[in-house]
């Protein structure tokens, strides 16, 4: 079992950058794939990016590929989401989740067992 806590959200202008952090509560964090999901008001929660427990596989939502980069620092029990060239449509509450999905790409929220409370990202035009 693991707890995860997100940080790093904020208000940024279109074209700007933010780096989100997901901190795990214990060493078991290293045994899980970690994903970022987001949810905008009135919309379903959607997959954004994921990284395998080994760190050698990643997956991205097509609309963020090339702009967002997910990475992990297991020495510090952290996963990062570097977000560049932000667009107003990236505005959402971003969640970090830990789990053991069968596949990184296409995994639904149900594939992940442990969730944080979310961090708000707002991109102004």
């Amino acid at each position: 079992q693991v707890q995860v806590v997100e940080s790093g959200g904020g208000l940024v202008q279109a074209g700007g950058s933010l780096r989100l952090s997901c901190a795990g509560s214990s060493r078991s964090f290293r045994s899980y794939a970690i994903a970022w999901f987001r949810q905008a008001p009135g919309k379903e929660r959607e997959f954004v990016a994921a990284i395998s427990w080994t760190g050698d596989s990643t997956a991205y939502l097509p609309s963020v590929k090339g702009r967002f980069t997910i990475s992990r620092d297991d020495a510090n029990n952290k996963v990062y989401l570097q977000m560049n060239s932000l667009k107003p449509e990236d505005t959402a509450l971003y969640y970090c989740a830990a789990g053991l999905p069968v596949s990184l790409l296409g995994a639904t929220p149900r594939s992940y067992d442990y969730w944080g409370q979310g961090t708000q990202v707002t991109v102004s035009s």
Side-chain angles (χ1 to χ4, degrees):
Q1 200 170 14
V2 66
Q3 293 181 330
V4 295
V5 178
E6 308 92 337
S7 62
L11 173 63
V12 64
Q13 288 189 331
S17 298
L18 283 173
R19 189 177 78 158
L20 304 184
S21 297
C22 174
S25 61
S26 67
R27 287 189 62 181
S28 61
F29 183 79
R30 306 171 188 181
S31 302
Y32 292 97
I34 304 298
W36 288 95
F37 287 80
R38 67 187 181 187
Q39 188 166 19
K43 295 189 176 181
E44 291 187 355
R45 193 169 297 190
E46 69 172 350
F47 168 82
V48 176
I51 188 165
S52 63
W53 71 274
T54 60
D56 60 0
S57 295
T58 58
Y60 296 93
L61 178 70
S63 63
V64 308
K65 199 168 186 180
R67 299 189 297 124
F68 291 10
T69 302
I70 190 169
S71 61
R72 66 189 304 155
D73 175 4
D74 284 336
N76 292 297
N77 289 342
K78 287 192 175 179
V79 165
Y80 301 103
L81 185 67
Q82 178 67 43
M83 306 187 297
N84 299 328
S85 302
L86 282 161
K87 303 176 181 180
E89 50 263 43
D90 295 318
T91 295
L93 187 60
Y94 282 70
Y95 296 92
C96 172
L100 297 171
V102 173
S103 173
L104 292 183
L105 189 61
T108 66
R110 292 174 62 182
S111 299
Y112 290 85
D113 299 307
Y114 307 105
W115 292 80
Q117 295 300 306
T119 185
Q120 179 67 37
V121 171
T122 303
V123 184
S124 64
S125 57

